[in-house]
Amino acid sequence: MIDASTSLCELAMISRGVMDTLRRHQLDFCCQGSRSLAEAAAERDLDLRPILSELEAAKDLGDRPEDWLTRTPADLIEYLQKRFHEPFRVEMPDLIRLAASVETKEAGHERCPHGLAKRLKILAAAVEEHLLAEEEFFFPVLMGEQNGELPAETWRAEHEEHETKLDGLRDLTGNYLCPQDADADWRLLYEKLDRLEADLMDHMHLENNILFGMPGLL
């Protein structure tokens, strides 16, 4: 049974279903993962009992994340680049175009997410700069392949900035909930935004809570 004293990052390692439940309640497992579920829920003034029930029901939903604590840093770095870096670069341009299209078509709708494409462009630029720095400097230094000081706190601060931008997207879109009369494009857009948030938070969680704590690193 899931315990309220369990840390958010430990909960995120149980299953994708648990991770998605934490995201839905905006319980930050990637940048504030050391806090217990009870502490995080209290900070957001959330009733812990229904959240515990939801998490218990979500334990077996979705894939169970790989146990990276039993793997090498090189394995995790390779996974991060293939699973998150490459897809982000492929998918973001299409997502921005889709957002711009929906904004144009639904400009007169009271729940149109005005400014969404612009926010996505800002997020994309910030994340791309971060990814390039990881690939060209941070990861090589981390693995001892080149010299330099590891700016771990700077990396964590940039992660928090990315998360703040994601929070802004969630606020603008009403938690990615479409109006009843939304067309297929609008629904697809919000599905893709939800998955973008899931991927970025999983990415940051693996770096903040797993990679940075691996023996012999940082």
Side-chain angles (χ1 to χ4, degrees), residues 113-143:
H114 294 291
L116 177 59
K118 181 178 179 179
R119 289 186 184 221
L120 286 172
K121 288 178 183 178
I122 292 171
L123 174 65
V127 173
E128 174 60 21
E129 182 178 3
H130 184 85
L131 299 183
L132 279 174
E134 285 186 339
E135 294 161 359
E136 296 177 358
F137 176 74
F138 193 84
F139 290 161
V141 172
L142 196 65
M143 295 303 299

Side-chain angles (χ1 to χ4, degrees), residues 196-214:
L196 169 70
E197 180 187 89
D199 284 349
L200 281 176
M201 290 189 70
D202 190 9
H203 183 181
M204 294 186 290
H205 156 66
L206 288 173
E207 291 187 351
N208 287 346
N209 301 318
I210 307 297
L211 180 63
F212 292 175
M214 282 182 158

Side-chain angles (χ1 to χ4, degrees), residues 24-28 35 38-47:
R24 189 168 62 252
H25 289 286
Q26 294 182 273
L27 295 168
D28 178 9
R35 293 177 304 167
E39 292 171 331
E43 286 182 11
R44 293 191 54 78
D45 197 25
L46 299 174
D47 186 349

Side-chain angles (χ1 to χ4, degrees), residues 14-48:
I14 294 174
S15 75
R16 300 295 170 187
V18 168
M19 203 179 286
D20 286 342
T21 300
L22 294 174
R23 284 195 307 111
R24 189 168 62 252
H25 289 286
Q26 294 182 273
L27 295 168
D28 178 9
F29 60 85
C30 61
C31 294
Q32 301 294 328
S34 62
R35 293 177 304 167
S36 71
L37 174 62
E39 292 171 331
E43 286 182 11
R44 293 191 54 78
D45 197 25
L46 299 174
D47 186 349
L48 190 57

Side-chain angles (χ1 to χ4, degrees), residues 13-172:
M13 296 178 198
I14 294 174
S15 75
R16 300 295 170 187
V18 168
M19 203 179 286
D20 286 342
T21 300
L22 294 174
R23 284 195 307 111
R24 189 168 62 252
H25 289 286
Q26 294 182 273
L27 295 168
D28 178 9
F29 60 85
C30 61
C31 294
Q32 301 294 328
S34 62
R35 293 177 304 167
S36 71
L37 174 62
E39 292 171 331
E43 286 182 11
R44 293 191 54 78
D45 197 25
L46 299 174
D47 186 349
L48 190 57
R49 289 171 296 180
I51 294 175
L52 281 168
S53 296
E54 288 181 46
L55 290 170
E56 194 67 33
K59 284 195 303 184
D60 298 319
L61 299 177
D63 297 336
R64 181 179 180 84
E66 184 164 355
D67 183 5
W68 289 106
L69 296 176
T70 65
R71 302 285 296 278
T72 68
D75 289 339
L76 179 51
I77 287 171
E78 181 181 6
Y79 174 80
L80 290 169
Q81 293 184 85
K82 288 184 177 179
R83 172 64 182 83
F84 299 111
H85 290 212
E86 295 172 16
F88 181 86
R89 288 169 171 141
V90 170
E91 295 165 9
M92 279 303 290
D94 288 340
L95 182 57
I96 291 169
R97 282 192 289 270
L98 179 58
S101 175
V102 169
E103 283 186 66
T104 299
K105 286 194 300 181
E106 306 295 344
H109 197 290
E110 62 181 359
R111 290 181 56 187
C112 177
H114 294 291
L116 177 59
K118 181 178 179 179
R119 289 186 184 221
L120 286 172
K121 288 178 183 178
I122 292 171
L123 174 65
V127 173
E128 174 60 21
E129 182 178 3
H130 184 85
L131 299 183
L132 279 174
E134 285 186 339
E135 294 161 359
E136 296 177 358
F137 176 74
F138 193 84
F139 290 161
V141 172
L142 196 65
M143 295 303 299
E145 296 168 357
Q146 68 183 54
N147 296 324
E149 293 187 10
L150 292 170
E153 293 309 312
T154 299
W155 247 246
R156 290 190 176 95
E158 289 186 5
H159 287 170
E160 290 178 359
E161 291 173 5
H162 300 335
E163 192 173 30
T164 297
K165 290 180 175 66
L166 290 174
D167 289 342
L169 297 180
R170 184 172 279 276
D171 290 342
L172 179 63

